[in-house]
Amino acid sequence: MTLLQATEVLPDGYTVRAPEPADAEGIFDLISAYNTAVAGAADCTLNSVADHLVEPGFDRRTDGFLVLAADGLPVGYGTAFAKGDRQAIEIEVASQEPTIAAWLFDHTMRRAQEMGRDSGHAEITVDSCVFRADESLRTLLADHDFTTGTTYHQMRIDHTGPVATPETPAGVTVRRGAYDDATRLTAHEIVIECFSGQYNFTPRPHDEWIEYFEASSTFDWSQFTLLEVDGRAVAVRICNDGLIEPENSGYIGTLVVLEEFRGRGLAKFLLRDAFARDAADGRAGTILHVDTNNPTPALGLYLSVGMTPTLVFDGWRSVIPVV
């Protein structure tokens, strides 16, 4: 693969610097306007932008690029986020100006290569999640040897009134909250076991995983739910309040069941339990994201409980040598 040969400097009138926490509102305005233009929905919150700027593993001083117009307003934003041992790196580019988008793509890719080289890798895997409707960015990626590897759907169910609390499956104990180290470690182990081998999954070290949740402004440990069978934790659901501000909706960030306990209705119970709790809290709906290439029939599961797709994204990937 040959990296995009963008200009070494930005066009006249533009400057670039590392983002600061104080830039969160400006970046939010930029990204939500960009998303609305290409996909018809903001799909972004101020809290999510602010949280990402201080997310464990992200060094905004080296891994973020904020492009400003002459009036000082943000017109482009790019990031490179390394996972695990820095062999897998995710890039994000947002700008409605093609020249700026190309510059950001070039520099996030260069930063990704630096990360891989500094970590001793001969090649790296670069991923980017892009709206299906974003023709400009899809073309940019395709022109530089990225190919699609999976598709994600945002799923939603609306709550127009009370939702019945589901009956707990026979032989199952429901544990609410993850307030102690042992429970958190068990939950993390289940998440890793269930997601291992799936597209774009790189497990975080446990301490970083804990730090990630504790750094989030829309999460607390009461939002964990674990299911036990004969005293063994076998399923985990992790929710957060990230979509309350823009959507008045609950959000399910993670829902997993150990393979040997699938087919017992545990996932459906966790979904319906979340719906009931969100409705009782006055939420207008419940939202989650699903990888449609998940080895489990996850999309069918969500459709079967009344959820419908609202946004479509593609996962794009390129494996490139480190030079």
mmCIF file of all heavy atoms in Angstrom, residues 1-6 65 77-79 91-94 98-112 126 128 137 139-146 318:
data_model
loop_
_atom_site.group_PDB
_atom_site.id
_atom_site.type_symbol
_atom_site.label_atom_id
_atom_site.label_comp_id
_atom_site.label_asym_id
_atom_site.label_seq_id
_atom_site.Cartn_x
_atom_site.Cartn_y
_atom_site.Cartn_z
ATOM 1 N N MET A 1 0.835 -1.198 0.000
ATOM 2 C CA MET A 1 0.000 0.000 0.000
ATOM 3 C C MET A 1 0.869 1.247 0.000
ATOM 4 O O MET A 1 1.874 1.315 0.688
ATOM 5 C CB MET A 1 -0.896 0.011 1.242
ATOM 6 C CG MET A 1 -1.656 1.312 1.435
ATOM 7 S SD MET A 1 -2.658 1.290 2.913
ATOM 8 C CE MET A 1 -3.182 2.990 2.928
ATOM 9 N N THR A 2 0.450 2.248 -0.724
ATOM 10 C CA THR A 2 1.115 3.549 -0.745
ATOM 11 C C THR A 2 0.236 4.561 -0.028
ATOM 12 O O THR A 2 -0.930 4.728 -0.374
ATOM 13 C CB THR A 2 1.365 4.031 -2.181
ATOM 14 O OG1 THR A 2 2.164 3.055 -2.859
ATOM 15 C CG2 THR A 2 2.094 5.360 -2.176
ATOM 16 N N LEU A 3 0.808 5.209 0.969
ATOM 17 C CA LEU A 3 0.030 6.194 1.698
ATOM 18 C C LEU A 3 -0.281 7.391 0.817
ATOM 19 O O LEU A 3 0.468 7.737 -0.098
ATOM 20 C CB LEU A 3 0.787 6.660 2.938
ATOM 21 C CG LEU A 3 0.940 5.629 4.054
ATOM 22 C CD1 LEU A 3 1.625 6.274 5.245
ATOM 23 C CD2 LEU A 3 -0.400 5.057 4.459
ATOM 24 N N LEU A 4 -1.403 8.041 1.119
ATOM 25 C CA LEU A 4 -1.801 9.246 0.389
ATOM 26 C C LEU A 4 -0.705 10.299 0.465
ATOM 27 O O LEU A 4 -0.202 10.612 1.535
ATOM 28 C CB LEU A 4 -3.083 9.801 1.008
ATOM 29 C CG LEU A 4 -3.608 11.106 0.435
ATOM 30 C CD1 LEU A 4 -4.119 10.880 -0.978
ATOM 31 C CD2 LEU A 4 -4.707 11.657 1.321
ATOM 32 N N GLN A 5 -0.330 10.822 -0.668
ATOM 33 C CA GLN A 5 0.702 11.859 -0.697
ATOM 34 C C GLN A 5 0.051 13.241 -0.594
ATOM 35 O O GLN A 5 -0.036 13.993 -1.555
ATOM 36 C CB GLN A 5 1.531 11.724 -1.972
ATOM 37 C CG GLN A 5 2.300 10.423 -2.064
ATOM 38 C CD GLN A 5 3.244 10.248 -0.884
ATOM 39 O OE1 GLN A 5 4.059 11.113 -0.600
ATOM 40 N NE2 GLN A 5 3.136 9.129 -0.191
ATOM 41 N N ALA A 6 -0.456 13.535 0.572
ATOM 42 C CA ALA A 6 -1.069 14.845 0.791
ATOM 43 C C ALA A 6 0.030 15.889 0.977
ATOM 44 O O ALA A 6 1.194 15.575 1.175
ATOM 45 C CB ALA A 6 -1.971 14.806 2.022
ATOM 46 N N PHE A 65 -5.449 15.470 15.920
ATOM 47 C CA PHE A 65 -5.146 16.582 15.004
ATOM 48 C C PHE A 65 -6.409 17.432 14.855
ATOM 49 O O PHE A 65 -7.426 16.958 14.340
ATOM 50 C CB PHE A 65 -4.723 16.056 13.630
ATOM 51 C CG PHE A 65 -3.546 15.120 13.675
ATOM 52 C CD1 PHE A 65 -3.741 13.758 13.856
ATOM 53 C CD2 PHE A 65 -2.256 15.594 13.546
ATOM 54 C CE1 PHE A 65 -2.665 12.881 13.900
ATOM 55 C CE2 PHE A 65 -1.168 14.733 13.591
ATOM 56 C CZ PHE A 65 -1.373 13.363 13.771
ATOM 57 N N TYR A 77 -11.049 17.200 12.135
ATOM 58 C CA TYR A 77 -10.574 16.512 13.332
ATOM 59 C C TYR A 77 -10.197 15.091 12.956
ATOM 60 O O TYR A 77 -10.948 14.401 12.252
ATOM 61 C CB TYR A 77 -11.657 16.498 14.408
ATOM 62 C CG TYR A 77 -11.230 15.885 15.730
ATOM 63 C CD1 TYR A 77 -10.132 16.394 16.421
ATOM 64 C CD2 TYR A 77 -11.926 14.818 16.288
ATOM 65 C CE1 TYR A 77 -9.739 15.848 17.647
ATOM 66 C CE2 TYR A 77 -11.550 14.273 17.514
ATOM 67 C CZ TYR A 77 -10.457 14.786 18.185
ATOM 68 O OH TYR A 77 -10.069 14.254 19.388
ATOM 69 N N GLY A 78 -9.013 14.668 13.383
ATOM 70 C CA GLY A 78 -8.568 13.310 13.116
ATOM 71 C C GLY A 78 -7.880 12.719 14.328
ATOM 72 O O GLY A 78 -7.241 13.443 15.102
ATOM 73 N N THR A 79 -8.006 11.410 14.491
ATOM 74 C CA THR A 79 -7.361 10.731 15.605
ATOM 75 C C THR A 79 -6.811 9.391 15.152
ATOM 76 O O THR A 79 -7.316 8.771 14.211
ATOM 77 C CB THR A 79 -8.335 10.480 16.772
ATOM 78 O OG1 THR A 79 -9.410 9.653 16.322
ATOM 79 C CG2 THR A 79 -8.881 11.779 17.334
ATOM 80 N N ILE A 91 -8.373 4.676 13.141
ATOM 81 C CA ILE A 91 -8.294 6.086 12.785
ATOM 82 C C ILE A 91 -9.699 6.654 12.593
ATOM 83 O O ILE A 91 -10.633 5.937 12.233
ATOM 84 C CB ILE A 91 -7.449 6.330 11.517
ATOM 85 C CG1 ILE A 91 -8.099 5.701 10.280
ATOM 86 C CG2 ILE A 91 -6.021 5.843 11.711
ATOM 87 C CD1 ILE A 91 -7.479 6.163 8.965
ATOM 88 N N GLU A 92 -9.817 7.948 12.848
ATOM 89 C CA GLU A 92 -11.072 8.673 12.629
ATOM 90 C C GLU A 92 -10.738 9.977 11.907
ATOM 91 O O GLU A 92 -9.781 10.670 12.282
ATOM 92 C CB GLU A 92 -11.765 8.978 13.954
ATOM 93 C CG GLU A 92 -13.020 9.815 13.817
ATOM 94 C CD GLU A 92 -13.621 10.216 15.159
ATOM 95 O OE1 GLU A 92 -13.066 9.822 16.206
ATOM 96 O OE2 GLU A 92 -14.631 10.947 15.155
ATOM 97 N N VAL A 93 -11.503 10.300 10.893
ATOM 98 C CA VAL A 93 -11.315 11.534 10.134
ATOM 99 C C VAL A 93 -12.677 12.181 9.931
ATOM 100 O O VAL A 93 -13.626 11.512 9.514
ATOM 101 C CB VAL A 93 -10.668 11.260 8.763
ATOM 102 C CG1 VAL A 93 -10.698 12.506 7.889
ATOM 103 C CG2 VAL A 93 -9.234 10.764 8.942
ATOM 104 N N ALA A 94 -12.781 13.481 10.226
ATOM 105 C CA ALA A 94 -14.039 14.198 10.015
ATOM 106 C C ALA A 94 -13.744 15.600 9.521
ATOM 107 O O ALA A 94 -13.115 16.400 10.220
ATOM 108 C CB ALA A 94 -14.856 14.260 11.303
ATOM 109 N N PRO A 98 -12.884 18.364 1.477
ATOM 110 C CA PRO A 98 -12.100 17.214 1.002
ATOM 111 C C PRO A 98 -10.594 17.360 1.185
ATOM 112 O O PRO A 98 -9.910 16.397 1.529
ATOM 113 C CB PRO A 98 -12.486 17.119 -0.478
ATOM 114 C CG PRO A 98 -13.856 17.711 -0.543
ATOM 115 C CD PRO A 98 -13.857 18.820 0.455
ATOM 116 N N THR A 99 -10.053 18.557 0.951
ATOM 117 C CA THR A 99 -8.613 18.760 1.104
ATOM 118 C C THR A 99 -8.180 18.546 2.545
ATOM 119 O O THR A 99 -7.135 17.936 2.819
ATOM 120 C CB THR A 99 -8.206 20.169 0.643
ATOM 121 O OG1 THR A 99 -8.602 20.349 -0.719
ATOM 122 C CG2 THR A 99 -6.708 20.368 0.762
ATOM 123 N N ILE A 100 -8.991 19.029 3.480
ATOM 124 C CA ILE A 100 -8.680 18.859 4.894
ATOM 125 C C ILE A 100 -8.815 17.385 5.286
ATOM 126 O O ILE A 100 -7.981 16.844 6.024
ATOM 127 C CB ILE A 100 -9.594 19.741 5.769
ATOM 128 C CG1 ILE A 100 -9.463 21.213 5.365
ATOM 129 C CG2 ILE A 100 -9.262 19.554 7.245
ATOM 130 C CD1 ILE A 100 -8.070 21.767 5.468
ATOM 131 N N ALA A 101 -9.852 16.714 4.793
ATOM 132 C CA ALA A 101 -10.032 15.297 5.085
ATOM 133 C C ALA A 101 -8.840 14.491 4.588
ATOM 134 O O ALA A 101 -8.338 13.587 5.279
ATOM 135 C CB ALA A 101 -11.330 14.786 4.465
ATOM 136 N N ALA A 102 -8.352 14.811 3.380
ATOM 137 C CA ALA A 102 -7.198 14.098 2.830
ATOM 138 C C ALA A 102 -5.953 14.332 3.675
ATOM 139 O O ALA A 102 -5.163 13.415 3.933
ATOM 140 C CB ALA A 102 -6.957 14.545 1.392
ATOM 141 N N TRP A 103 -5.755 15.570 4.126
ATOM 142 C CA TRP A 103 -4.602 15.885 4.976
ATOM 143 C C TRP A 103 -4.683 15.106 6.290
ATOM 144 O O TRP A 103 -3.688 14.524 6.746
ATOM 145 C CB TRP A 103 -4.562 17.387 5.238
ATOM 146 C CG TRP A 103 -3.326 17.851 5.949
ATOM 147 C CD1 TRP A 103 -2.186 18.340 5.386
ATOM 148 C CD2 TRP A 103 -3.127 17.886 7.375
ATOM 149 N NE1 TRP A 103 -1.275 18.662 6.364
ATOM 150 C CE2 TRP A 103 -1.815 18.392 7.591
ATOM 151 C CE3 TRP A 103 -3.901 17.524 8.470
ATOM 152 C CZ2 TRP A 103 -1.277 18.542 8.872
ATOM 153 C CZ3 TRP A 103 -3.368 17.675 9.752
ATOM 154 C CH2 TRP A 103 -2.070 18.192 9.947
ATOM 155 N N LEU A 104 -5.866 15.067 6.890
ATOM 156 C CA LEU A 104 -6.043 14.349 8.147
ATOM 157 C C LEU A 104 -5.830 12.850 7.963
ATOM 158 O O LEU A 104 -5.218 12.189 8.809
ATOM 159 C CB LEU A 104 -7.439 14.616 8.710
ATOM 160 C CG LEU A 104 -7.658 16.000 9.313
ATOM 161 C CD1 LEU A 104 -9.151 16.259 9.526
ATOM 162 C CD2 LEU A 104 -6.902 16.145 10.638
ATOM 163 N N PHE A 105 -6.332 12.308 6.862
ATOM 164 C CA PHE A 105 -6.125 10.892 6.590
ATOM 165 C C PHE A 105 -4.632 10.589 6.503
ATOM 166 O O PHE A 105 -4.135 9.630 7.120
ATOM 167 C CB PHE A 105 -6.820 10.492 5.294
ATOM 168 C CG PHE A 105 -6.532 9.073 4.872
ATOM 169 C CD1 PHE A 105 -7.171 8.014 5.477
ATOM 170 C CD2 PHE A 105 -5.598 8.816 3.876
ATOM 171 C CE1 PHE A 105 -6.891 6.703 5.105
ATOM 172 C CE2 PHE A 105 -5.307 7.520 3.492
ATOM 173 C CZ PHE A 105 -5.961 6.455 4.108
ATOM 174 N N ASP A 106 -3.912 11.386 5.763
ATOM 175 C CA ASP A 106 -2.479 11.185 5.604
ATOM 176 C C ASP A 106 -1.767 11.213 6.954
ATOM 177 O O ASP A 106 -0.934 10.352 7.259
ATOM 178 C CB ASP A 106 -1.905 12.267 4.690
ATOM 179 C CG ASP A 106 -0.403 12.128 4.491
ATOM 180 O OD1 ASP A 106 0.021 11.140 3.873
ATOM 181 O OD2 ASP A 106 0.338 13.010 4.975
ATOM 182 N N HIS A 107 -2.112 12.190 7.795
ATOM 183 C CA HIS A 107 -1.389 12.350 9.052
ATOM 184 C C HIS A 107 -1.811 11.341 10.107
ATOM 185 O O HIS A 107 -0.978 10.920 10.926
ATOM 186 C CB HIS A 107 -1.519 13.796 9.545
ATOM 187 C CG HIS A 107 -0.620 14.738 8.802
ATOM 188 N ND1 HIS A 107 -0.825 15.073 7.487
ATOM 189 C CD2 HIS A 107 0.524 15.370 9.187
ATOM 190 C CE1 HIS A 107 0.131 15.894 7.088
ATOM 191 N NE2 HIS A 107 0.958 16.091 8.094
ATOM 192 N N THR A 108 -3.056 10.919 10.115
ATOM 193 C CA THR A 108 -3.427 9.849 11.050
ATOM 194 C C THR A 108 -2.777 8.534 10.637
ATOM 195 O O THR A 108 -2.355 7.748 11.491
ATOM 196 C CB THR A 108 -4.954 9.681 11.140
ATOM 197 O OG1 THR A 108 -5.501 9.454 9.834
ATOM 198 C CG2 THR A 108 -5.610 10.901 11.770
ATOM 199 N N MET A 109 -2.653 8.298 9.335
ATOM 200 C CA MET A 109 -1.974 7.088 8.872
ATOM 201 C C MET A 109 -0.478 7.130 9.198
ATOM 202 O O MET A 109 0.117 6.118 9.600
ATOM 203 C CB MET A 109 -2.192 6.914 7.375
ATOM 204 C CG MET A 109 -3.615 6.556 6.994
ATOM 205 S SD MET A 109 -4.112 4.925 7.604
ATOM 206 C CE MET A 109 -3.164 3.871 6.514
ATOM 207 N N ARG A 110 0.123 8.279 9.048
ATOM 208 C CA ARG A 110 1.535 8.402 9.412
ATOM 209 C C ARG A 110 1.727 8.157 10.911
ATOM 210 O O ARG A 110 2.700 7.500 11.319
ATOM 211 C CB ARG A 110 2.062 9.787 9.034
ATOM 212 C CG ARG A 110 2.150 10.039 7.539
ATOM 213 C CD ARG A 110 2.770 11.388 7.268
ATOM 214 N NE ARG A 110 2.732 11.727 5.856
ATOM 215 C CZ ARG A 110 3.310 12.787 5.330
ATOM 216 N NH1 ARG A 110 3.982 13.625 6.107
ATOM 217 N NH2 ARG A 110 3.230 13.045 4.033
ATOM 218 N N ARG A 111 0.807 8.683 11.697
ATOM 219 C CA ARG A 111 0.914 8.464 13.138
ATOM 220 C C ARG A 111 0.719 6.979 13.464
ATOM 221 O O ARG A 111 1.415 6.434 14.335
ATOM 222 C CB ARG A 111 -0.132 9.316 13.878
ATOM 223 C CG ARG A 111 -0.142 9.118 15.385
ATOM 224 C CD ARG A 111 1.216 9.410 16.001
ATOM 225 N NE ARG A 111 1.239 9.075 17.424
ATOM 226 C CZ ARG A 111 2.320 8.619 18.066
ATOM 227 N NH1 ARG A 111 3.480 8.466 17.418
ATOM 228 N NH2 ARG A 111 2.252 8.334 19.344
ATOM 229 N N ALA A 112 -0.195 6.319 12.766
ATOM 230 C CA ALA A 112 -0.397 4.885 12.982
ATOM 231 C C ALA A 112 0.885 4.117 12.686
ATOM 232 O O ALA A 112 1.276 3.206 13.431
ATOM 233 C CB ALA A 112 -1.542 4.386 12.104
ATOM 234 N N VAL A 126 -4.937 -1.276 10.311
ATOM 235 C CA VAL A 126 -5.603 0.005 10.529
ATOM 236 C C VAL A 126 -7.086 -0.162 10.225
ATOM 237 O O VAL A 126 -7.449 -0.637 9.141
ATOM 238 C CB VAL A 126 -5.010 1.122 9.654
ATOM 239 C CG1 VAL A 126 -5.693 2.456 9.954
ATOM 240 C CG2 VAL A 126 -3.504 1.232 9.881
ATOM 241 N N SER A 128 -11.139 1.635 10.381
ATOM 242 C CA SER A 128 -11.922 2.867 10.441
ATOM 243 C C SER A 128 -13.387 2.503 10.267
ATOM 244 O O SER A 128 -13.739 1.733 9.360
ATOM 245 C CB SER A 128 -11.478 3.839 9.351
ATOM 246 O OG SER A 128 -12.078 5.114 9.540
ATOM 247 N N LEU A 137 -15.716 9.724 2.262
ATOM 248 C CA LEU A 137 -14.719 9.022 3.062
ATOM 249 C C LEU A 137 -14.558 7.581 2.601
ATOM 250 O O LEU A 137 -13.451 7.032 2.596
ATOM 251 C CB LEU A 137 -15.095 9.087 4.543
ATOM 252 C CG LEU A 137 -14.049 8.570 5.539
ATOM 253 C CD1 LEU A 137 -12.681 9.188 5.275
ATOM 254 C CD2 LEU A 137 -14.495 8.859 6.970
ATOM 255 N N THR A 139 -14.774 6.561 -0.446
ATOM 256 C CA THR A 139 -13.932 6.630 -1.635
ATOM 257 C C THR A 139 -12.473 6.845 -1.265
ATOM 258 O O THR A 139 -11.563 6.222 -1.833
ATOM 259 C CB THR A 139 -14.421 7.753 -2.566
ATOM 260 O OG1 THR A 139 -15.759 7.480 -2.979
ATOM 261 C CG2 THR A 139 -13.529 7.870 -3.787
ATOM 262 N N LEU A 140 -12.232 7.728 -0.296
ATOM 263 C CA LEU A 140 -10.867 7.987 0.148
ATOM 264 C C LEU A 140 -10.211 6.710 0.664
ATOM 265 O O LEU A 140 -9.055 6.403 0.329
ATOM 266 C CB LEU A 140 -10.883 9.065 1.236
ATOM 267 C CG LEU A 140 -9.532 9.472 1.839
ATOM 268 C CD1 LEU A 140 -8.627 10.062 0.774
ATOM 269 C CD2 LEU A 140 -9.735 10.464 2.977
ATOM 270 N N LEU A 141 -10.939 5.946 1.461
ATOM 271 C CA LEU A 141 -10.391 4.701 1.998
ATOM 272 C C LEU A 141 -10.166 3.671 0.895
ATOM 273 O O LEU A 141 -9.117 3.027 0.831
ATOM 274 C CB LEU A 141 -11.331 4.143 3.069
ATOM 275 C CG LEU A 141 -11.442 4.959 4.355
ATOM 276 C CD1 LEU A 141 -12.587 4.441 5.221
ATOM 277 C CD2 LEU A 141 -10.137 4.922 5.141
ATOM 278 N N ALA A 142 -11.154 3.520 0.030
ATOM 279 C CA ALA A 142 -11.033 2.538 -1.053
ATOM 280 C C ALA A 142 -9.858 2.873 -1.968
ATOM 281 O O ALA A 142 -9.167 1.964 -2.460
ATOM 282 C CB ALA A 142 -12.329 2.479 -1.849
ATOM 283 N N ASP A 143 -9.606 4.157 -2.201
ATOM 284 C CA ASP A 143 -8.504 4.578 -3.062
ATOM 285 C C ASP A 143 -7.141 4.280 -2.450
ATOM 286 O O ASP A 143 -6.115 4.366 -3.137
ATOM 287 C CB ASP A 143 -8.607 6.077 -3.362
ATOM 288 C CG ASP A 143 -9.708 6.397 -4.369
ATOM 289 O OD1 ASP A 143 -10.223 5.458 -5.001
ATOM 290 O OD2 ASP A 143 -10.048 7.584 -4.501
ATOM 291 N N HIS A 144 -7.121 3.940 -1.161
ATOM 292 C CA HIS A 144 -5.858 3.655 -0.483
ATOM 293 C C HIS A 144 -5.860 2.250 0.113
ATOM 294 O O HIS A 144 -5.287 2.002 1.177
ATOM 295 C CB HIS A 144 -5.574 4.737 0.571
ATOM 296 C CG HIS A 144 -5.291 6.063 -0.047
ATOM 297 N ND1 HIS A 144 -6.301 6.934 -0.411
ATOM 298 C CD2 HIS A 144 -4.133 6.637 -0.448
ATOM 299 C CE1 HIS A 144 -5.771 7.999 -0.979
ATOM 300 N NE2 HIS A 144 -4.456 7.846 -1.014
ATOM 301 N N ASP A 145 -6.493 1.347 -0.629
ATOM 302 C CA ASP A 145 -6.390 -0.092 -0.377
ATOM 303 C C ASP A 145 -7.082 -0.566 0.895
ATOM 304 O O ASP A 145 -6.779 -1.647 1.398
ATOM 305 C CB ASP A 145 -4.918 -0.538 -0.358
ATOM 306 C CG ASP A 145 -4.234 -0.295 -1.685
ATOM 307 O OD1 ASP A 145 -4.925 -0.292 -2.720
ATOM 308 O OD2 ASP A 145 -2.999 -0.102 -1.690
ATOM 309 N N PHE A 146 -8.000 0.226 1.420
ATOM 310 C CA PHE A 146 -8.862 -0.257 2.492
ATOM 311 C C PHE A 146 -10.005 -1.057 1.870
ATOM 312 O O PHE A 146 -10.499 -0.721 0.790
ATOM 313 C CB PHE A 146 -9.448 0.901 3.288
ATOM 314 C CG PHE A 146 -8.546 1.468 4.345
ATOM 315 C CD1 PHE A 146 -7.441 2.238 3.999
ATOM 316 C CD2 PHE A 146 -8.807 1.246 5.690
ATOM 317 C CE1 PHE A 146 -6.616 2.779 4.957
ATOM 318 C CE2 PHE A 146 -7.985 1.777 6.670
ATOM 319 C CZ PHE A 146 -6.887 2.543 6.305
ATOM 320 N N SER A 318 -7.165 -1.986 6.493
ATOM 321 C CA SER A 318 -5.996 -2.165 5.643
ATOM 322 C C SER A 318 -4.839 -2.655 6.505
ATOM 323 O O SER A 318 -4.633 -2.148 7.614
ATOM 324 C CB SER A 318 -5.596 -0.863 4.939
ATOM 325 O OG SER A 318 -4.537 -1.076 4.037
#
